[in-house]
């Protein structure tokens, strides 16, 4: 069983390194869209998740609530992984 905190840490590191500009302060609670997260960011994130966790998030799970912040996204991913 994979822990939400572990996923959250990996997502935060990835987004800081690969998606957001260095001057953008991003935490687990940062509103992703307000910070500049867009459709290209989503594609990069989905590819990262597929590479790192071995599955593609179903379209039905890519909701405003799931993408609200990194903590919500990590919770969604953990649930999907642990349901498999």
């Amino acid at each position: 069983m994979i822990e939400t905190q572990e996923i959250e840490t990996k997502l935060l590191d990835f987004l800081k390194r690969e998606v957001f500009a260095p001057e953008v302060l991003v935490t687990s609670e940062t509103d992703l869209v307000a910070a500049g997260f867009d459709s290209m960011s989503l594609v990069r994130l989905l590819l990262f998740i597929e590479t790192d966790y071995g599955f593609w998030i179903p379209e039905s799970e890519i909701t405003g609530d799931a993408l609200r912040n990194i903590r919500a996204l990590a919770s969604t991913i953990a649930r999907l992984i642990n349901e498999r």
Side-chain angles (χ1 to χ4, degrees):
M1 185 164 169
I2 192 158
E3 296 295 323
T4 302
Q5 181 61 44
E6 177 186 336
I7 296 170
E8 190 176 312
T9 300
K10 282 185 171 185
L11 292 176
L12 185 58
D13 290 344
F14 171 77
L15 291 171
K16 284 181 174 180
R17 186 180 67 248
E18 300 291 333
V19 174
F20 292 107
E23 64 273 4
V24 176
L25 177 62
V26 181
T27 69
S28 295
E29 294 296 321
T30 298
D31 180 322
L32 294 176
V33 174
F37 193 83
D38 59 15
S39 59
M40 290 304 294
S41 304
L42 177 60
V43 171
R44 292 175 77 181
L45 179 64
L46 291 172
L47 289 171
F48 169 76
I49 293 165
E50 181 180 32
T51 300
D52 225 56
Y53 296 103
F55 78 102
W56 189 259
I57 296 179
E59 187 177 335
S60 62
E61 294 287 345
I62 303 171
T63 65
D65 284 340
L67 295 173
R68 178 179 58 243
N69 57 43
I70 294 169
R71 183 157 291 143
L73 181 59
S75 178
T76 299
I77 293 168
R79 178 179 52 79
L80 291 170
I81 288 172
N82 292 323
E83 285 176 353
R84 291 176 31 189

